[in-house]
Structure formats: structure tokens, C-alpha cells
Amino acid sequence: MTLHSSLEDAILSSVIALPIGISLYLYLRRSWPKIGLYDALQKSKLGRIQLYAWTVSYFLYLSYTIDYAIFYELDFHGMMAYALVALLSLLTGAMLLGRGQFLLIPLAIAQIALAFLYWTPSLTQTQPSIDFLDVLNSSLLLVCITLIPYADGEPKMAWVVPTSLVVGIGALLAGAFLVTSLSQIYGAISMIGLVMVEALALNRVFRSRGVNLLLPFTAFLISILVSLISPIPFYNLTIAPSVALLYLSLFLGFAYLLSGAGRIFSWISSALMLYGLYNSFVVGDITQRISILVVTLLVILLGLILGRPRQASTPRVL
């Protein structure tokens, strides 16, 4: 809602997001995955690349989004800023360890309540975007529903996907007619909520792969400490590979998600993610492009090397 997109942009963004929601609904209604989208292509040679790309993308997202919410959106500085970063880091770390999920309930209630407070009708309509990338970016806010397969559920809960899509599209359309002076505060709260959910999704992936949870927990705290050395450069350097890897992981995930007639929806979604991957490289500066290339190549190499099946050793003939 805080985007205050034009009605034309909001409608186009909603249309773009529809294949994503339809694909996820058809997939989850059939069977609920154990490891998110990775379940759809774990037998493929590209499966590990998708898994590693998704994991690294969202892991990077945790620290730079906390920085962004505090230093950019809320524009806090000094002891107040660092105290909030410390508190949010501890809460996020708890989610990585699979604890404190109950905190999501009051956070969700707060976000729902804010959707009804301090909004006024827009007297000046925004102009339609002339850049398709802007429309794609706003529609991909709805890509957060791809976190749903990483929750612990079952096929009868697939209704959560269309419900989430309707709520998201409704907010996007409402934002074309409403404005608020508290948009930065609302945006920061939404980002914090997303960080918590992503930490829980990462927790499930790590547990499913038998990873000692203290390792990602420690790595996250180290990344936060490094980010505090210079939050703005850290944000600019890490957001580029994080977004690129997210597009890569979703491109691969949707390419393998469905079979039969439903494949058309997942392939449309996959094509959109490929376009987003291309643009994430094009719009970045030289430093961001280098970081995208280096991190992406490392993830692909790790996926190919670690993803190779082990060959059984030939028994000796005595």
C-alpha cells in the first residue's frame, strides 16, 4: 500500500503475480514439500544450485534488511539505532534456532492493524510507469508468497496461497488511492516481519539438511557485526547478489515446479524470474555487478561439485 503505485501499474503488477500464485497453489495442493521449492528438482543436477542460491540469498537478506529498516526507513542513528539492531538481531537469531515463533502473532496483528490506521484518500493520482522494471519490482513484492512452501504444512492448507495473493493484490490496488505520512514506519515494520519469516524458513531448510543450527546462527551474528562497520556500503554490496540469487533460485524452482497443463503457469513465472535476474545485473553499478558474478559463480560451482552423486568404490579382489 505504501508504494502508492498508479492504478494501471497496480493492475499490471497483479496480473504478473497471478501465475506465481496459481503455480504454487497447484503444487501445494498436490503435495506439501519438505524443503520448499527444492523438492521439485532435487533429483535434477540443478537441484543443489537452486537450494544453495535460495539459502544464500535469504541469509544475506537477513542482515542487510535489518540495517535498511533501521538506518534507511526509520532513519535512526546513535544508540537508539544500535539498540534496535541488537534487539532485532537477537530475535532473528532465535528464529534461526527455531525458537520464539509465537512472536510472529503480535507482529502480524500489528501489521494488520496498521492497514486501517492513518490513511487518507489520494488527491493526486500517480502517473503510470514507463519502465516495465518498476512494474516488475512492485509485482515481485508478492513473490514473498514463495516462502509458504518452506513452512510446515500439508496439502489441505494450500488455500493459504490464494488468500495471501488476494490480500497482497488488494493492498497494492488500495495503495493507488490512499497515502500515509507513516509509510516509512509501515515499510520498516513489514520488512522486520519478513525477516522473521525468512529466518524460520531458513531454519527448516537447515534442519532438513542436518546442519548444526549454531553455525548459521553464529554466521548471522558475524554478518550483523560486519554490517555495522559501514551499513550503507554493506547494504549496497550485499543486496545485489542476494536479489540475483533469489531470481536464480526461483527461476530454477518454477521451471521444474509443475507438469502437464499446469506447466504453462510455472513456465511463465520462471520466465519472469529470468528477466528479473537479467535486470538485477543490468541496473547495478560495477561493484554490484562484480559481486553478482562472483557470488553466483561460486554458488553454481558449489552446486555442481557438491551435488555430484558419490560413486561407490570398487571392491578389491583378493
Side-chain angles (χ1 to χ4, degrees):
M1 290 175 68
T2 60
L3 285 179
H4 190 49
S5 301
S6 68
L7 182 60
E8 293 88 343
D9 283 3
I11 292 174
L12 183 56
S13 299
S14 303
V15 171
I16 291 174
L18 280 177
I20 299 174
I22 294 173
S23 300
L24 288 175
Y25 175 72
L26 294 176
Y27 180 64
L28 296 181
R29 189 180 63 175
R30 183 183 61 194
S31 63
W32 198 282
K34 295 181 179 178
I35 319 177
L37 299 182
Y38 173 67
D39 271 19
L41 70 164
Q42 58 180 317
K43 296 181 181 179
S44 166
K45 293 181 180 179
L46 301 177
R48 291 293 181 92
I49 296 177
Q50 191 277 335
L51 178 64
Y52 296 155
W54 185 92
T55 303
V56 174
S57 170
Y58 274 124
F59 186 83
L60 290 175
Y61 189 97
L62 299 182
S63 54
Y64 77 69
T65 302
I66 290 177
D67 284 350
Y68 187 89
I70 301 300
F71 295 104
Y72 282 71
E73 291 289 328
L74 297 177
D75 196 26
F76 285 163
H77 300 283
M79 291 303 298
M80 173 65 76
Y82 291 110
L84 278 176
V85 169
L87 175 61
L88 293 177
S89 299
L90 291 176
L91 292 177
T92 304
M95 298 292 175
L96 276 173
L97 294 173
R99 300 173 181 175
Q101 295 96 322
F102 64 91
L103 294 174
L104 290 176
I105 298 176
L107 187 58
I109 293 175
Q111 292 187 57
I112 294 173
L114 293 177
F116 298 94
L117 298 174
Y118 304 110
W119 294 89
T120 57
S122 172
L123 301 179
T124 304
Q125 285 294 315
T126 56
Q127 295 299 316
S129 172
I130 59 174
D131 187 352
F132 179 73
L133 180 60
D134 292 337
V135 176
L136 182 64
N137 284 338
S138 60
S139 66
L140 286 179
L141 286 174
L142 300 171
V143 84
C144 298
I145 64 173
T146 59
L147 285 168
I148 293 175
Y150 293 87
D152 188 9
E154 50 190 63
K156 67 180 182 180
M157 297 169 60
W159 60 267
V160 172
V161 174
T163 302
S164 302
L165 194 62
V166 168
V167 172
I169 290 175
L172 191 60
L173 294 174
F177 301 98
L178 299 171
V179 294
T180 177
S181 60
L182 303 177
S183 60
Q184 290 182 306
I185 296 177
Y186 290 1
I189 293 175
S190 295
M191 291 176 189
I192 292 168
L194 184 57
V195 165
M196 301 301 168
V197 174
E198 288 169 354
L200 281 177
L202 284 167
N203 167 266
R204 190 172 187 227
V205 170
F206 288 136
R207 283 191 295 108
S208 67
R209 308 307 295 172
V211 175
N212 186 336
L213 294 177
L214 289 178
L215 294 178
F217 174 78
T218 303
F220 166 68
L221 293 183
I222 292 175
S223 70
I224 285 290
L225 292 175
V226 172
S227 73
L228 292 179
I229 296 174
S230 188
I232 296 177
F234 181 85
Y235 171 80
N236 291 330
L237 185 63
T238 53
I239 187 175
S242 175
V243 171
L245 289 176
L246 178 60
Y247 281 127
L248 174 61
S249 69
L250 295 180
F251 160 68
L252 294 173
F254 279 105
Y256 284 82
L257 197 64
L258 297 172
S259 58
R263 185 177 295 169
I264 184 64
F265 297 107
S266 62
W267 280 0
I268 291 174
S269 303
S270 184
L272 288 170
M273 302 307 169
L274 184 61
Y275 178 77
L277 176 59
Y278 164 76
N279 273 287
S280 66
F281 181 80
V282 172
V283 301
D285 57 32
I286 184 62
T287 303
Q288 291 176 324
R289 291 180 181 180
I290 292 174
S291 67
I292 289 174
L293 286 175
V294 171
V295 175
T296 302
L297 287 175
L298 284 175
V299 167
I300 292 175
L301 286 175
L302 284 175
L304 293 176
I305 295 173
L306 300 181
R308 293 175 182 173
R310 296 181 179 177
Q311 295 183 354
S313 57
T314 303
R316 292 182 179 181
V317 178
L318 300 177

